[in-house]
CSV table of all heavy atoms in Angstrom, one decimal:
chain,number,residue,atom,x,y,z
A,1,ARG,N,-30.3,-35.4,36.5
A,1,ARG,CA,-29.1,-35.8,37.2
A,1,ARG,C,-29.4,-36.6,38.5
A,1,ARG,O,-28.6,-36.9,39.3
A,1,ARG,CB,-28.3,-34.5,37.7
A,1,ARG,CG,-27.6,-33.8,36.6
A,1,ARG,CD,-26.5,-34.6,36.1
A,1,ARG,NE,-25.5,-34.8,37.1
A,1,ARG,CZ,-24.7,-35.8,37.0
A,1,ARG,NH1,-24.7,-36.7,36.1
A,1,ARG,NH2,-23.7,-36.0,38.0
A,2,GLY,N,-30.6,-37.2,38.5
A,2,GLY,CA,-31.0,-37.9,39.7
A,2,GLY,C,-30.7,-39.4,39.7
A,2,GLY,O,-30.9,-40.1,40.6
A,3,ASP,N,-30.4,-39.9,38.5
A,3,ASP,CA,-30.1,-41.4,38.3
A,3,ASP,C,-28.9,-41.8,39.2
A,3,ASP,O,-27.9,-41.2,39.1
A,3,ASP,CB,-29.8,-41.8,36.9
A,3,ASP,CG,-31.0,-41.4,36.0
A,3,ASP,OD1,-32.1,-41.4,36.5
A,3,ASP,OD2,-30.8,-41.3,34.8
A,4,SER,N,-29.1,-42.8,40.0
A,4,SER,CA,-28.0,-43.3,40.9
A,4,SER,C,-28.0,-44.8,40.9
A,4,SER,O,-28.9,-45.4,41.6
A,4,SER,CB,-28.2,-42.7,42.3
A,4,SER,OG,-27.1,-43.0,43.1
A,5,PRO,N,-27.1,-45.5,40.3
A,5,PRO,CA,-26.1,-44.8,39.5
A,5,PRO,C,-26.7,-44.6,38.1
A,5,PRO,O,-27.6,-45.2,37.7
A,5,PRO,CB,-25.0,-46.0,39.3
A,5,PRO,CG,-25.8,-47.3,39.5
A,5,PRO,CD,-26.9,-46.9,40.5
A,6,PRO,N,-26.1,-43.6,37.4
A,6,PRO,CA,-26.7,-43.3,36.1
A,6,PRO,C,-26.4,-44.4,35.0
A,6,PRO,O,-25.4,-45.1,35.1
A,6,PRO,CB,-25.8,-42.1,35.6
A,6,PRO,CG,-24.6,-42.2,36.3
A,6,PRO,CD,-24.9,-42.9,37.7
A,7,GLU,N,-27.4,-44.6,34.1
A,7,GLU,CA,-27.1,-45.5,32.9
A,7,GLU,C,-26.0,-45.0,32.1
A,7,GLU,O,-25.9,-43.8,31.8
A,7,GLU,CB,-28.4,-45.7,32.2
A,7,GLU,CG,-29.4,-46.6,32.8
A,7,GLU,CD,-30.5,-47.0,31.9
A,7,GLU,OE1,-31.1,-46.1,31.3
A,7,GLU,OE2,-30.8,-48.2,31.6
A,8,LYS,N,-25.2,-45.9,31.5
A,8,LYS,CA,-24.1,-45.5,30.7
A,8,LYS,C,-24.4,-46.1,29.3
A,8,LYS,O,-24.2,-47.3,29.1
A,8,LYS,CB,-22.8,-46.0,31.2
A,8,LYS,CG,-22.3,-45.2,32.5
A,8,LYS,CD,-21.1,-45.8,33.1
A,8,LYS,CE,-21.5,-46.9,34.1
A,8,LYS,NZ,-20.4,-47.3,35.0
A,9,THR,N,-24.9,-45.3,28.4
A,9,THR,CA,-25.3,-45.8,27.0
A,9,THR,C,-24.8,-44.9,25.9
A,9,THR,O,-25.1,-45.1,24.7
A,9,THR,CB,-26.8,-45.9,26.9
A,9,THR,OG1,-27.4,-44.6,27.1
A,9,THR,CG2,-27.5,-46.8,27.9
A,10,GLN,N,-24.0,-43.9,26.2
A,10,GLN,CA,-23.4,-43.0,25.2
A,10,GLN,C,-22.1,-43.6,24.7
A,10,GLN,O,-21.1,-43.7,25.4
A,10,GLN,CB,-23.2,-41.6,25.8
A,10,GLN,CG,-24.3,-40.9,26.4
A,10,GLN,CD,-25.3,-40.5,25.3
A,10,GLN,OE1,-25.0,-40.0,24.2
A,10,GLN,NE2,-26.6,-40.8,25.6
A,11,ILE,N,-22.2,-44.2,23.5
A,11,ILE,CA,-21.1,-45.0,22.9
A,11,ILE,C,-20.0,-44.2,22.2
A,11,ILE,O,-20.4,-43.2,21.5
A,11,ILE,CB,-21.7,-46.0,21.9
A,11,ILE,CG1,-22.6,-46.9,22.7
A,11,ILE,CG2,-20.6,-46.8,21.2
A,11,ILE,CD1,-23.4,-47.9,21.7
A,12,SER,N,-18.8,-44.5,22.5
A,12,SER,CA,-17.6,-44.0,21.8
A,12,SER,C,-16.8,-45.2,21.4
A,12,SER,O,-16.6,-46.1,22.2
A,12,SER,CB,-16.8,-43.0,22.6
A,12,SER,OG,-17.5,-41.9,22.9
A,13,LEU,N,-16.3,-45.2,20.2
A,13,LEU,CA,-15.5,-46.4,19.7
A,13,LEU,C,-14.3,-45.9,18.8
A,13,LEU,O,-14.5,-45.1,18.0
A,13,LEU,CB,-16.4,-47.3,18.9
A,13,LEU,CG,-15.8,-48.6,18.3
A,13,LEU,CD1,-15.4,-49.5,19.5
A,13,LEU,CD2,-16.8,-49.3,17.5
A,14,LYS,N,-13.2,-46.6,19.0
A,14,LYS,CA,-12.0,-46.4,18.1
A,14,LYS,C,-11.4,-47.6,17.8
A,14,LYS,O,-11.1,-48.4,18.8
A,14,LYS,CB,-11.0,-45.4,18.8
A,14,LYS,CG,-9.8,-45.0,17.9
A,14,LYS,CD,-8.9,-44.0,18.7
A,14,LYS,CE,-7.8,-43.5,17.8
A,14,LYS,NZ,-6.9,-42.7,18.6
A,15,ILE,N,-11.2,-48.0,16.5
A,15,ILE,CA,-10.6,-49.2,16.1
A,15,ILE,C,-9.3,-48.8,15.3
A,15,ILE,O,-9.5,-48.0,14.4
A,15,ILE,CB,-11.5,-50.0,15.2
A,15,ILE,CG1,-12.9,-50.2,15.9
A,15,ILE,CG2,-10.9,-51.4,14.8
A,15,ILE,CD1,-13.9,-51.0,15.0
A,16,THR,N,-8.2,-49.3,15.7
A,16,THR,CA,-6.9,-48.9,15.1
A,16,THR,C,-6.1,-50.1,14.7
A,16,THR,O,-6.3,-51.3,15.2
A,16,THR,CB,-6.1,-48.1,16.0
A,16,THR,OG1,-5.8,-48.8,17.3
A,16,THR,CG2,-6.8,-46.7,16.3
A,17,ASP,N,-5.2,-50.0,13.8
A,17,ASP,CA,-4.2,-50.9,13.4
A,17,ASP,C,-3.0,-50.9,14.4
A,17,ASP,O,-2.5,-49.8,14.6
A,17,ASP,CB,-3.7,-50.6,12.0
A,17,ASP,CG,-2.8,-51.6,11.4
A,17,ASP,OD1,-1.8,-52.1,12.1
A,17,ASP,OD2,-2.9,-52.0,10.2
A,18,PRO,N,-2.8,-52.1,15.0
A,18,PRO,CA,-1.8,-52.1,16.1
A,18,PRO,C,-0.3,-51.7,15.5
A,18,PRO,O,0.4,-51.2,16.3
A,18,PRO,CB,-1.7,-53.6,16.5
A,18,PRO,CG,-3.0,-54.1,16.1
A,18,PRO,CD,-3.4,-53.4,14.8
A,19,ASP,N,-0.1,-52.0,14.2
A,19,ASP,CA,1.3,-51.7,13.8
A,19,ASP,C,1.5,-50.2,13.3
A,19,ASP,O,2.5,-49.6,13.6
A,19,ASP,CB,1.5,-52.6,12.5
A,19,ASP,CG,1.5,-54.1,12.8
A,19,ASP,OD1,2.0,-54.3,13.9
A,19,ASP,OD2,1.0,-54.8,12.0
A,20,THR,N,0.4,-49.6,12.7
A,20,THR,CA,0.6,-48.2,12.2
A,20,THR,C,-0.1,-47.2,13.2
A,20,THR,O,0.2,-46.0,13.1
A,20,THR,CB,0.0,-48.1,10.8
A,20,THR,OG1,-1.5,-48.4,10.9
A,20,THR,CG2,0.6,-49.1,9.9
A,21,GLY,N,-1.1,-47.7,14.0
A,21,GLY,CA,-1.9,-46.8,14.8
A,21,GLY,C,-3.0,-46.0,14.0
A,21,GLY,O,-3.6,-45.2,14.6
A,22,ASP,N,-3.2,-46.4,12.7
A,22,ASP,CA,-4.1,-45.7,11.9
A,22,ASP,C,-5.5,-46.1,12.3
A,22,ASP,O,-5.8,-47.3,12.7
A,22,ASP,CB,-4.0,-46.0,10.4
A,22,ASP,CG,-2.6,-45.4,9.9
A,22,ASP,OD1,-2.2,-44.5,10.5
A,22,ASP,OD2,-2.2,-46.0,8.8
A,23,ASP,N,-6.4,-45.2,12.2
A,23,ASP,CA,-7.9,-45.5,12.5
A,23,ASP,C,-8.5,-46.2,11.4
A,23,ASP,O,-8.4,-45.8,10.2
A,23,ASP,CB,-8.7,-44.1,12.8
A,23,ASP,CG,-10.1,-44.4,13.4
A,23,ASP,OD1,-10.7,-45.3,12.9
A,23,ASP,OD2,-10.5,-43.6,14.2
A,24,VAL,N,-9.0,-47.4,11.6
A,24,VAL,CA,-9.6,-48.2,10.6
A,24,VAL,C,-11.1,-48.5,10.8
A,24,VAL,O,-11.6,-49.6,10.4
A,24,VAL,CB,-8.8,-49.6,10.4
A,24,VAL,CG1,-7.4,-49.3,10.0
A,24,VAL,CG2,-8.8,-50.3,11.8
A,25,GLY,N,-11.8,-47.6,11.5
A,25,GLY,CA,-13.1,-47.7,11.8
A,25,GLY,C,-14.0,-47.9,10.6
A,25,GLY,O,-15.1,-48.5,10.6
A,26,SER,N,-13.6,-47.2,9.5
A,26,SER,CA,-14.4,-47.2,8.2
A,26,SER,C,-14.5,-48.7,7.6
A,26,SER,O,-15.4,-48.9,6.8
A,26,SER,CB,-13.7,-46.3,7.2
A,26,SER,OG,-12.4,-46.7,6.9
A,27,LYS,N,-13.7,-49.6,8.1
A,27,LYS,CA,-13.8,-51.0,7.6
A,27,LYS,C,-14.8,-51.7,8.2
A,27,LYS,O,-15.1,-52.9,7.9
A,27,LYS,CB,-12.4,-51.6,7.7
A,27,LYS,CG,-11.2,-51.0,7.0
A,27,LYS,CD,-9.9,-51.8,7.2
A,27,LYS,CE,-8.8,-51.2,6.4
A,27,LYS,NZ,-7.6,-52.0,6.6
A,28,PHE,N,-15.5,-51.2,9.3
A,28,PHE,CA,-16.4,-52.0,10.1
A,28,PHE,C,-17.8,-51.4,10.2
A,28,PHE,O,-17.9,-50.2,10.0
A,28,PHE,CB,-15.8,-52.0,11.6
A,28,PHE,CG,-14.6,-53.0,11.7
A,28,PHE,CD1,-13.4,-52.4,11.5
A,28,PHE,CD2,-14.7,-54.3,12.1
A,28,PHE,CE1,-12.2,-53.2,11.6
A,28,PHE,CE2,-13.6,-55.1,12.2
A,28,PHE,CZ,-12.4,-54.5,12.0
A,29,LYS,N,-18.7,-52.3,10.4
A,29,LYS,CA,-20.1,-51.8,10.7
A,29,LYS,C,-20.4,-52.5,12.1
A,29,LYS,O,-19.7,-53.4,12.5
A,29,LYS,CB,-21.1,-52.3,9.7
A,29,LYS,CG,-21.2,-53.8,9.4
A,29,LYS,CD,-22.3,-54.0,8.3
A,29,LYS,CE,-22.3,-55.5,8.0
A,29,LYS,NZ,-23.4,-55.8,7.0
A,30,MET,N,-21.5,-52.1,12.7
A,30,MET,CA,-21.7,-52.5,14.1
A,30,MET,C,-23.2,-52.7,14.4
A,30,MET,O,-24.0,-51.9,13.9
A,30,MET,CB,-21.1,-51.4,15.0
A,30,MET,CG,-21.4,-51.6,16.5
A,30,MET,SD,-20.6,-50.4,17.5
A,30,MET,CE,-21.5,-48.9,17.1
A,31,ASP,N,-23.5,-53.8,15.1
A,31,ASP,CA,-24.9,-54.0,15.6
A,31,ASP,C,-24.8,-53.8,17.1
A,31,ASP,O,-23.8,-54.2,17.8
A,31,ASP,CB,-25.3,-55.5,15.4
A,31,ASP,CG,-25.8,-55.7,13.9
A,31,ASP,OD1,-26.1,-54.7,13.3
A,31,ASP,OD2,-25.9,-56.8,13.5
A,32,VAL,N,-25.7,-53.0,17.6
A,32,VAL,CA,-25.8,-52.6,19.1
A,32,VAL,C,-27.0,-53.1,19.6
A,32,VAL,O,-28.1,-52.9,19.1
A,32,VAL,CB,-25.6,-51.1,19.2
A,32,VAL,CG1,-25.6,-50.7,20.7
A,32,VAL,CG2,-24.5,-50.6,18.4
A,33,LYS,N,-26.9,-53.8,20.7
A,33,LYS,CA,-28.1,-54.1,21.6
A,33,LYS,C,-28.1,-53.2,22.7
A,33,LYS,O,-27.3,-53.3,23.7
A,33,LYS,CB,-28.1,-55.7,22.0
A,33,LYS,CG,-29.4,-56.1,22.6
A,33,LYS,CD,-29.4,-57.6,22.7
A,33,LYS,CE,-30.8,-58.0,23.1
A,33,LYS,NZ,-31.1,-59.5,23.1
A,34,MET,N,-29.1,-52.3,22.8
A,34,MET,CA,-29.2,-51.4,23.9
A,34,MET,C,-30.0,-52.0,25.1
A,34,MET,O,-30.8,-52.9,24.9
A,34,MET,CB,-30.0,-50.1,23.4
A,34,MET,CG,-29.3,-49.4,22.2
A,34,MET,SD,-27.7,-48.7,22.6
A,34,MET,CE,-28.2,-47.3,23.7
A,35,PRO,N,-29.8,-51.4,26.3
A,35,PRO,CA,-30.5,-51.9,27.4
A,35,PRO,C,-32.0,-51.5,27.3
A,35,PRO,O,-32.4,-50.7,26.5
A,35,PRO,CB,-29.9,-51.1,28.6
A,35,PRO,CG,-28.6,-50.7,28.1
A,35,PRO,CD,-28.7,-50.5,26.6
A,36,PRO,N,-32.9,-52.2,27.9
A,36,PRO,CA,-34.4,-52.0,27.7
A,36,PRO,C,-34.7,-50.5,28.0
A,36,PRO,O,-34.2,-49.9,29.0
A,36,PRO,CB,-35.0,-52.9,28.8
A,36,PRO,CG,-34.0,-54.0,29.0
A,36,PRO,CD,-32.7,-53.4,28.7
A,37,GLY,N,-35.5,-50.0,27.2
A,37,GLY,CA,-36.0,-48.6,27.3
A,37,GLY,C,-35.2,-47.6,26.7
A,37,GLY,O,-35.5,-46.4,26.7
A,38,ASN,N,-34.1,-47.9,26.0
A,38,ASN,CA,-33.2,-47.0,25.4
A,38,ASN,C,-33.3,-47.1,23.9
A,38,ASN,O,-33.3,-48.2,23.3
A,38,ASN,CB,-31.7,-47.3,25.8
A,38,ASN,CG,-31.4,-46.9,27.2
A,38,ASN,OD1,-31.2,-45.7,27.5
A,38,ASN,ND2,-31.5,-47.8,28.1
A,39,PRO,N,-33.4,-45.9,23.1
A,39,PRO,CA,-33.5,-45.9,21.7
A,39,PRO,C,-32.1,-46.2,21.1
A,39,PRO,O,-31.1,-46.3,21.7
A,39,PRO,CB,-33.9,-44.5,21.4
A,39,PRO,CG,-33.3,-43.7,22.5
A,39,PRO,CD,-33.4,-44.5,23.8
């Protein structure tokens, strides 16, 4: 708990259809570039 400010790398993501509000995340894949030193 000593990081000041702490690194923010815990990802949450929601992709929805604007008309229906349905979650459509299953239609997508993702490439992530993490900050140095993070797996």
